[in-house]
Amino acid sequence: GKYPEGMTLIEEVLRYREQKKQSEFLDPRRVDEDGRFRASYSFRPTTGRLSSSSNPRGTGGNAQNIDRGLRGPFKPDAECLLLEVDLSQAEARVDYCLTGNKKLIEIAHTRPSEFDVHKYLATLFFPVTLENVTKNERTPTKNIGHGSHYDLHLNKLSELMLKQGYDFSPKQCGVMQGKYWDFTEGAIQAWQQRTRMDVLRDRALTNAWGRTIEWPWDHFGDDLYRKAYAWRPQSDIARHLNYAWMQFDGWLRRGEYKSKINLQLHDALIVSVYPEELWNVMNVLVHVCEQPHMYYGERLVIPAEIKLGTAWGLGDVGEWKEMPMREEAEACVEALSSEQG
């Protein structure tokens, strides 16, 4: 904030980079002749996450890291709506279970409709009330929490903020991080210390699903420890979502439903759903995503948030923090049909 002219220049550079990136992504050659964007998927062996890239024909691309501003052109199949079911703050909930801290574990069990931890933290970082928290306060707060969990250094945090258009110096990030440490009662730092000791002793970690990773030859140091902090929550959520995906896909096939899965993100599934199948599809997809599992001594249900729209990310038909009543969901679809009719 000391150099407004510099920040104006940085904003222009960021805008140019973003527009250049978008123009490259929107190259018509990425789309097949039938209008579909097809990616090639592979597993990341360390975490079990899926990663995507261009398909063997050279079209498509990374389907899991598409700019939010470019999601609108992605439409559902003909006669369908696009249903997105997202695991709410999934990695953070696992992190909180790993700490063993009573307050953080209680937050891990709390549904987003009841309490938004990022909004609450924003009131500690900025002069704003809970009711008036906007994206401009919530997003930096989310970055501070996520970056702190995985030991992202203050210079890197500041750089991450700047890429998103937020002007926070490393010192300012440090102040916010200090408040976050106070909020977590030092439990995140204690968990990180235990993780380092586990790696030093065993050169291995085991996640909540019984999967083990080993680092037999890696040098001890910050790079290895950061990998270790991130591995359990990332591999846990990858296993959780992949299992839900397989169950849901099997259910669709057995029931001979016409709806189909279009995309898997790291913590979400996106489905082209026919209106007459909506309730059953939504109900089952939320159910398999919210199946409880023992995460480090806690039987945790990771809540699913729901978005229904005429395009990816639009949510113009309906958005819910938890499973709606059938009448409410069907009324939203009927309202859309009336508008279009």
Side-chain angles (χ1 to χ4, degrees):
K2 294 182 180 179
Y3 308 101
E5 299 86 355
M7 192 59 198
T8 300
L9 175 61
I10 290 171
E11 288 173 351
E12 291 300 319
V13 171
L14 290 172
R15 188 177 297 110
Y16 170 78
R17 287 177 57 186
E18 185 67 19
Q19 291 177 351
K20 185 174 186 296
K21 181 180 176 181
Q22 291 181 356
S23 67
E24 292 172 351
F25 180 81
L26 292 172
D27 188 330
R29 291 172 293 182
R30 288 181 176 268
V31 181
D32 291 334
E33 292 181 0
D34 61 358
R36 290 186 177 272
F37 180 98
R38 292 182 172 91
S40 178
Y41 283 85
S42 61
F43 279 103
R44 292 182 180 177
T46 52
T47 61
R49 276 182 164 184
L50 284 173
S51 61
S52 58
S53 59
S54 298
N55 64 55
R57 290 176 293 190
T59 57
N62 185 348
Q64 296 165 299
N65 194 31
I66 295 173
D67 187 281
R68 291 186 179 276
L70 295 179
R71 294 181 177 181
F74 288 85
K75 308 295 184 182
D77 293 346
E79 302 178 21
C80 292
L81 296 171
L82 214 55
L83 171 66
E84 180 175 354
V85 173
D86 174 52
L87 297 175
S88 169
Q89 301 172 25
E91 285 186 28
R93 293 177 190 274
V94 173
D95 288 335
Y96 285 172
C97 288
L98 278 161
T99 68
N101 179 273
K102 183 178 179 181
K103 180 176 79 171
L104 297 184
I105 289 173
E106 184 178 342
I107 292 173
H109 285 288
T110 305
R111 299 194 67 89
S113 58
E114 300 169 348
F115 179 70
D116 185 330
V117 66
H118 299 308
K119 279 191 173 184
Y120 174 76
L121 289 169
T123 66
L124 304 181
F125 298 167
F126 304 102
V128 62
T129 62
L130 191 62
E131 297 77 16
N132 295 319
V133 173
T134 66
K135 180 182 177 182
N136 285 334
E137 291 91 26
R138 190 180 186 277
T139 299
T141 299
K142 186 175 181 180
N143 289 338
I144 290 293
H146 187 77
S148 298
H149 290 180
Y150 302 147
D151 194 30
L152 195 64
H153 292 171
L154 297 179
N155 285 336
K156 290 291 185 180
L157 268 176
S158 177
E159 183 180 333
L160 172 65
M161 297 281 201
L162 194 58
K163 287 181 178 179
Q164 297 181 356
Y166 299 101
D167 180 20
F168 294 104
S169 68
K171 183 177 180 180
Q172 289 172 313
C173 290
V175 171
M176 288 189 284
Q177 187 180 69
K179 293 180 179 180
Y180 184 61
W181 292 147
D182 291 340
F183 170 77
T184 62
E185 302 173 347
I188 298 293
Q189 293 153 301
W191 154 61
Q192 291 174 342
Q193 183 179 30
R194 290 195 300 273
T195 301
R196 292 195 298 272
M197 295 305 297
D198 290 341
V199 173
L200 284 167
R201 183 185 63 247
D202 303 325
R203 283 190 169 271
L205 290 174
T206 300
N207 71 7
W209 296 87
R211 184 180 180 187
T212 298
I213 188 172
E214 298 178 346
W215 293 283
W217 312 116
D218 294 66
H219 293 289
F220 295 119
D222 288 347
D223 287 343
L224 175 58
Y225 297 144
R226 277 192 286 270
K227 292 178 185 177
Y229 302 148
W231 181 76
R232 280 189 287 203
Q234 288 182 355
S235 63
D236 281 334
I237 297 308
R239 176 64 176 79
H240 187 114
L241 186 63
N242 289 344
Y243 184 55
W245 183 7
M246 289 187 292
Q247 288 183 296
F248 179 67
D249 181 65
W251 176 82
L252 283 177
R253 294 173 186 271
R254 289 190 302 273
E256 298 183 352
Y257 285 89
K258 298 183 295 179
S259 301
K260 64 176 66 174
I261 301 168
N262 290 131
L263 179 63
Q264 188 254 30
L265 302 179
H266 295 312
D267 54 4
L269 288 172
I270 298 174
V271 179
S272 279
V273 59
Y274 286 84
E276 63 270 21
E277 297 179 354
L278 173 62
W279 176 251
N280 288 342
V281 168
M282 182 190 295
N283 194 43
V284 171
L285 183 52
V286 170
H287 172 73
V288 296
C289 286
E290 291 193 345
Q291 288 184 94
H293 185 73
M294 290 298 296
Y295 285 106
Y296 311 102
E298 290 295 321
R299 186 177 184 274
L300 180 66
V301 173
I302 299 176
E305 298 187 55
I306 306 158
K307 188 176 289 186
L308 185 67
T310 56
W312 182 15
L314 197 56
D316 55 334
V317 179
E319 289 189 60
W320 300 277
K321 296 290 186 182
E322 55 187 279
M323 189 68 190
M325 298 295 291
R326 179 169 187 166
E327 294 79 8
E328 181 183 355
E330 292 180 346
C332 291
V333 175
E334 290 175 4
L336 176 67
S337 299
S338 298
E339 291 175 7
Q340 295 176 341

